[in-house]
Amino acid sequence: MSSPRPSIAEPRWVRFTLTAVALVFLGFFLALPLVAVFVEALAAGIPAYLDALADPEARSAIWLTVLVALIALPLNVAFGVAAAWAIARFEFRGKSALITLIDLPFAVSPVVAGLVFVLLFGSQGLFGAWLSAHDIRIIFAVPGIVLATLFVTFPFVARELIPLMQAQGREEEEAAVSLGASGWQMLWRVTLPNIKWGLLYGVILANARAMGEFGAVSVVSGHIRGETNTLPLHVEILYNEYNQVGAFAAASVLALLALVTLIAKTIVEWRMRRETAMLEASLSPEGGAASPAA
Amino acid sequence: MSIEIRGIGKRFGNFVALDNIDLDIPSGELVALLGPSGCGKTTLLRIIAGMESPDHGQVLFEGEEATHLHVRERKVGFVFQHYALFRHMTVFENVAFGLRVKPRHERPSEAEIRRRVTDLLKLVQLDWLAERYPSQLSGGQRQRIALARALAVEPKVLLLDEPFGALDTRVRKELRRWLRRLHDEVHISSVFVTHDQEEALEVADRVVVMNQGRIEQIGTPDEVYSRPASPFVYRFLGDVNVFHSRLHGAWAEINRLPEGAHAGEALAFIRPHDIDIERFEQAGSLAARVQEVHAIGPSVRVELAHGSELIEVELTRERANALGLSRGDQVWLRPRQVRVFAAEPAGEEFGSGI
């Protein structure tokens, strides 16, 4: 900044100290652990690292993690868009209850979430007898992991979309319908294109959580190696067995995922800011002159 | 296409938005729904469009029941106050939207779509903006594109919700003349909502003045301005001086109260340009003292004090020059045209009468 420093700004040494404190804190608690993960993972050399990842149990854990995310995310998108649309567009009884319910997974400990599913679908649970009579396995099997993951990732998409859709209003959709568009045409041609960046942002966050979730999944999975172990559970098991290289190799995959998530998130945030600026521009009268008369 | 509205009512909770509205809109007319905010005009427009459903009553298009027809099937063009252009589509695609979403067997060919959209963009004189996005246009341009988009599906009725409300004054004036010309060209029944009396009087064939969910008066711009049917219309359409019979007996008696009105207080409404200023007292004239003289454009506005009350008079420049008024002069006022209404119950004062 070339302009002279305004007189209300803090003295130079205050700003310097605050910045330094923040940087040191970030370094110790975020950057250092991240580096440590990769250092530990590569401690026995690259071949050992690759071997650890090629291990059938590790591969199965990675695959299961991806599979769960692939099932949970589309469901999340469908639910999130539907809920956000209903909340942003309509007034109905129980609307505030629905908004509160959407936030429930953020408020509840993931372990409790997992336990709830055990209580419902476990062999001693509410539906346990019926499920075992029909030979359906949910707890200690993939469906349980999917359910637990769905529960904890439930709010991300809806939370992201509700304020966005409220800000955009319903006029464009009304315009589409008055021009003869059917409900689906409106959804695909107007609603979704308008929220695509917000939706992607929600999906990225939900994905990071889905792949990284430990607590809820740990309760319902049963830790069956090669079958119901996701990547985070796999890390824990290897670590408890003093398999440093294996544990950190698996952890490095999660850390890489985090980095990719951060980059994707930054790009999407940048795009969203541009869209918001465009939205504001498209609502203001020309030249930003007189404000619209109500 | 003609529109008939029969006994339409709509409530939002305890708020009565529309109270038993009856209205006929003949084919090919440009009609303004005029009223203060909250008078129900936008609700009425949205009911005609099918975006809101009435609690009771009927909407007929060309004599046929349309009350429960879906928006999509009504063949109405709707223009929004904030344009509601599809922000992720180019101007061309915005206008083409209505054609592209038609069922396959009705959908025109790509070449036909291109031709029709180009024609419409020429009609609104913006064909050079076809590849731009809405955010790159000015407000006036956006509203013209919104109009072109609405016209693309060849609607039988055009509905406009405060179409110029978000524009600045200069663009607004330009655009409403343009809308009038456009209407004369395409001649489609149009209804537009506005709270701006000047806009309604200038553009519309007929003006429907609304207040608190009811229609106060329907008439040509000249009728509603020069022969207002109620005190509300008098106050809402332009400036007016109000005189109380109790205080200004002679003036309020010039026209007798309508039959049936309970004897008692009456109000006389006189527009500023319907009062003449004289230097000498005559029968029925009112003494007043000049307070301010403002020359505004072609006319001269004089503020006078009658006792503690302020009276506003508008004179032509010639008349003002002939009188040579200056502050503090003692003069006499003579009304040219007066309307007398029974006084409203206390507490129902509205508008900005003087």
Side-chain angles (χ1 to χ4, degrees), chain A residues 103-119 147-149 151-153 155 209 213-220:
Chain A
D103 277 343
L104 183 69
F106 279 162
V108 164
S109 158
V111 176
V112 175
L115 274 176
V116 167
F117 286 110
V118 173
L119 286 176
L147 278 177
T149 307
F151 183 88
V152 295
T153 55
R209 182 72 194 264
E213 176 56 29
F214 180 84
V217 170
S218 172
V219 176
V220 296

Side-chain angles (χ1 to χ4, degrees), chain A residues 164 167-186 188-194 196 275 277-287 289-294, chain B residues 37 46 51 70-72 76-78 80-89 94 97-102 107 133-135 138-140 142 149-150 153 161-162 165-168 170-172 195:
Chain A
L164 182 65
Q168 288 181 344
R170 60 201 274 190
E171 284 199 343
E172 280 183 50
E173 292 176 355
E174 285 179 342
V177 175
S178 80
L179 290 167
S182 67
W184 282 113
Q185 284 173 321
M186 182 194 81
W188 287 110
R189 288 168 183 258
V190 177
T191 311
L192 288 180
N194 276 351
K196 60 175 185 263
E275 298 264 310
M278 271 171 73
L279 170 65
E280 274 157 15
S282 73
L283 281 180
S284 70
E286 50 195 326
S291 62
Chain B
S37 53
R46 290 175 62 87
M51 292 176 185
H70 193 274
V71 192
R72 178 180 320 126
V76 296
F78 202 97
F80 296 82
Q81 179 177 6
H82 296 292
Y83 331 119
L85 291 176
F86 305 127
R87 72 197 79 177
H88 61 280
M89 294 182 201
N94 261 283
F97 184 89
L99 302 173
R100 292 204 193 284
V101 297
K102 278 181 190 288
R107 197 182 308 156
Y133 283 88
S135 58
S138 73
R142 281 180 213 163
R149 181 179 69 175
V153 289
D161 184 11
E162 298 264 6
L167 303 168
D168 61 46
R170 188 182 52 79
V171 181
R172 196 184 307 185
H195 63 268

Side-chain angles (χ1 to χ4, degrees), chain B residues 162-310:
Chain B
E162 298 264 6
F164 316 122
L167 303 168
D168 61 46
T169 322
R170 188 182 52 79
V171 181
R172 196 184 307 185
K173 272 202 158 143
E174 227 173 80
L175 210 56
R176 70 188 186 216
R177 292 204 183 113
W178 176 84
L179 174 71
R180 182 66 236 188
R181 282 200 305 276
L182 185 80
H183 180 263
D184 294 340
E185 232 172 277
V186 295
H187 229 79
I188 169 177
S189 309
S190 310
V191 182
F192 78 101
V193 157
T194 180
H195 63 268
D196 180 345
Q197 35 112 351
E198 201 185 314
E199 195 169 291
L201 297 181
E202 186 179 322
V203 177
D205 293 318
R206 282 203 309 157
V207 178
V208 177
V209 186
M210 294 181 66
N211 181 36
Q212 297 181 340
R214 281 190 300 270
I215 292 179
E216 294 271 341
Q217 188 174 7
I218 304 172
T220 63
D222 186 48
E223 279 166 6
V224 293
Y225 185 78
S226 53
R227 289 195 299 282
S230 69
F232 172 81
V233 180
Y234 237 121
R235 286 192 168 105
F236 196 70
L237 293 176
D239 296 326
V240 68
N241 296 293
V242 182
F243 299 90
H244 296 260
S245 60
R246 187 159 34 86
L247 302 171
H248 320 96
W251 280 36
E253 278 164 23
I254 290 172
N255 286 359
R256 282 281 159 204
L257 274 175
E259 288 290 320
H262 75 103
E265 238 214 317
L267 296 175
F269 288 75
I270 309 174
R271 297 239 186 254
H273 56 78
D274 282 333
I275 298 179
D276 202 11
I277 298 179
E278 304 280 356
R279 281 289 186 183
F280 306 100
E281 185 171 7
Q282 288 179 317
S285 64
L286 204 66
R289 195 169 289 280
V290 176
Q291 295 226 305
E292 300 279 352
V293 182
H294 303 289
I296 303 167
S299 59
V300 177
R301 206 158 255 263
V302 187
E303 283 172 22
L304 305 108
H306 169 76
S308 62
E309 279 170 87
L310 199 70

